[in-house]
Amino acid sequence: LMATKNKIHIEYFLKASPEMLYQYISTPSGLSEWFSDKASAKGNNFIFQWIGSGEECAKMIARRQDSLVRFRWEADAGSSCYFEMSISQDELTGDVLFSITDFAHRGEEDSAVQMWDAAIQNLKKLIGA
């Protein structure tokens, strides 16, 4: 029986163009610079590796050029859980909003948010934001 996971949503303002950010969220080379230590892909199947904690496989289940990617971890196959990174730009201010939607087991929401916060800090260093 799969334990239910709770949806979490986190938003960050980033100083970077949607086109530039999209490269960092949609390609193995981009993702390996901030999200995991190493990433590779065969088609829509991505393998993420972390030094000291092994690897996880995820399938890219949706993408919209310059605005969104959605992955489903292999461990979540058959469920409605996913993790999504989306990019939107305010037409008036030009601010770029980077939104994360993820699912975490009850009681693990805070550590999931901390993991994303740390990853986004890496991304900000990378893009000079």
Side-chain angles (χ1 to χ4, degrees):
L1 186 72
M2 289 180 75
T4 57
K5 288 184 174 184
N6 295 326
K7 187 186 252 190
I8 51 177
H9 188 77
I10 325 161
E11 296 183 338
Y12 305 89
F13 281 103
L14 297 178
K15 294 193 184 324
S17 72
E19 297 77 16
M20 176 185 166
L21 282 173
Y22 187 75
Q23 295 308 308
Y24 285 113
I25 67 171
S26 62
T27 65
S29 59
L31 286 158
S32 65
E33 290 196 62
W34 68 278
F35 179 72
S36 61
D37 294 314
K38 191 167 182 251
S40 57
K42 282 197 177 97
N44 286 331
N45 294 309
F46 283 65
I47 298 168
F48 297 103
Q49 294 173 294
W50 288 273
I51 294 164
S53 61
E55 64 179 45
E56 283 191 75
C57 300
K59 184 173 193 146
M60 187 184 285
I61 56 173
R63 74 164 77 205
R64 259 199 315 274
Q65 185 66 37
D66 297 336
S67 70
L68 175 145
V69 293
R70 181 182 288 184
F71 291 92
R72 178 165 292 133
W73 293 115
E74 206 172 58
D76 288 330
S79 78
S80 57
C81 296
Y82 59 87
F83 70 99
E84 179 180 283
M85 296 172 268
S86 68
I87 306 159
S88 58
Q89 189 163 24
D90 186 301
E91 287 177 25
L92 291 175
T93 63
D95 290 341
V96 173
L97 185 65
F98 189 73
S99 304
I100 307 286
T101 304
D102 198 359
F103 288 79
H105 290 290
R106 192 173 318 239
E108 292 177 8
E109 295 93 345
D110 288 348
S111 59
V113 169
Q114 285 171 350
M115 185 215 77
W116 281 110
D117 283 346
I120 297 301
Q121 288 309 313
N122 293 339
L123 181 59
K124 284 181 171 178
K125 280 190 200 109
L126 200 59
I127 60 180

